[in-house]
Amino acid sequence: MSTLEIKGIVASVAGKQILNGIDLTVRSGEVHAVMGPNGAGKSTLSAVIMGKPGYEVHSGEVLLDGVDLLAMPAWQRAQAGVHLVMQYPSEVPGVSLADMLAAAFRARGRGTNGLIAEVAAEAGRINFPVALLDRPLNVDLSGGEKKRNETLQLAVLAPKFAILDELDSGLDLDALRDCAKRVEDASNTDGPSGRLGVLAITHYNRLLAELHPDRVHILVKGRIVAAGGPELADELERDGYEAFSEGVAAQ
Ligand code: ADP
Ligand code: MG
């Protein structure tokens, strides 16, 4: 059982304070949704957890099983077991998916025997066309194919925690269902790192219809203004973010 703890995070980007004290704990096998309007700080939260350069953390901690992640560069955080599925996956010309995964496995001290077969099996599982496996990473893939590709990487790497930054943006309903189902399965099945803990950052309820969250947190202007069970997402769908924004001072 692993724990990802976000404690009192205050952070800024480009001299502007965006996160105003975020507290959130995810354990193995749990799915937490963070929902918020555009500009609330959702991507900033994912960037701070993962260690994207350019973000300044003024106070607070991010701990993986008690170990300080903020002291590590992004690649070390990934090796420690935190994986970010980016909102806009990068294209990496010249690097194949298989090469990238093999390098990641070696960096983690994991053998690469059987990796190709595993990638093919995972591709079948999420309906990612096998013909696309030889493409350079994400190059010339459609929005939906990119997200399937990212989900495939997540499934093969089997980290302790996955942060999904708008997994649902840019993909059609079939791709959304396939990707969400794969993540949901990883959260319910023991893998090499136990059951996957998930922080699913999203704008819309539709992801959550497929990826059943245990907890829903609503982020408005860099603060979590409400938290509760899955019913909170339904309330949000009905009432909109406005209902949750009252009382949050403008920055
Ligand atoms: P969300 O993902 O919830 O839509 P973001 O975390 O991307 O929100 O952005 C939060 C706020 O921070 C926005 O007002 C955005 O314009 C600002 N912001 C994000 N990244 C940068 C940056 N690199 N430089 C300046 N402002 C930024
Ligand atoms: Mg965003």
Side-chain angles (χ1 to χ4, degrees):
M1 167 73 81
S2 289
T3 310
L4 180 66
E5 286 174 280
I6 299 151
K7 292 169 137 181
I9 285 290
V10 176
S12 60
V13 61
K16 186 177 162 203
Q17 190 168 310
I18 307 294
L19 300 179
N20 300 309
I22 305 289
D23 292 288
L24 217 166
T25 299
V26 186
R27 294 180 187 82
S28 300
E30 293 179 351
V31 177
H32 290 242
V34 173
M35 304 185 74
N38 280 324
K42 301 185 300 296
S43 293
T44 302
L45 179 63
S46 71
V48 164
I49 298 169
M50 204 65 222
K52 186 174 175 185
Y55 293 78
E56 196 179 346
V57 177
H58 303 289
S59 57
E61 295 180 288
V62 181
L63 304 173
L64 175 60
D65 294 328
V67 176
D68 177 18
L69 282 184
L70 296 181
M72 301 176 189
W75 61 268
Q76 246 171 16
R77 299 183 200 199
Q79 283 191 8
V82 184
H83 183 97
L84 172 66
V85 174
M86 286 181 279
Q87 182 168 2
Y88 305 107
S90 306
E91 297 192 1
V92 191
V95 176
S96 73
L97 175 68
D99 287 347
M100 189 280 288
L101 286 172
F105 266 48
R106 281 193 294 271
R108 287 159 175 71
R110 282 163 69 178
T112 56
N113 283 346
L115 178 60
I116 300 294
E118 196 184 341
V119 168
E122 282 293 348
R125 203 166 158 181
I126 58 165
N127 297 313
F128 184 74
V130 180
L132 299 180
L133 288 174
D134 296 329
R135 292 259 183 97
L137 206 56
N138 285 326
V139 172
D140 295 333
L141 297 187
S142 71
E145 288 165 350
K146 280 184 183 165
K147 294 291 173 103
R148 286 187 207 265
N149 192 1
E150 293 288 309
T151 304
L152 187 158
Q153 292 164 39
L154 171 66
V156 172
L157 285 168
K160 291 176 180 155
F161 292 97
I163 300 155
L164 316 173
D165 190 2
E166 306 221 11
L167 178 67
D168 44 350
S169 77
L171 86 188
D172 60 36
L173 283 177
D174 288 344
L176 176 62
R177 197 167 299 127
D178 288 340
C179 293
K181 180 163 190 327
R182 184 63 191 91
V183 174
E184 171 88 353
D185 284 351
S187 76
N188 289 329
T189 316
D190 273 317
S193 309
R195 292 177 185 210
L196 182 69
V198 180
L199 191 60
I201 293 173
T202 184
H203 202 83
Y204 297 111
N205 221 349
R206 56 178 198 171
L207 172 68
L208 306 183
E210 307 291 339
L211 182 66
H212 307 288
D214 302 292
R215 292 286 290 171
V216 174
H217 311 260
I218 298 181
L219 181 72
V220 176
K221 293 179 182 159
R223 280 181 217 284
I224 291 176
V225 295
E231 71 284 351
L232 192 54
D234 300 328
E235 236 175 90
L236 187 64
E237 183 85 349
R238 202 183 53 231
D239 303 337
Y241 286 112
E242 276 299 304
F244 295 92
S245 306
E246 289 155 19
V248 181
Q251 299 297 303

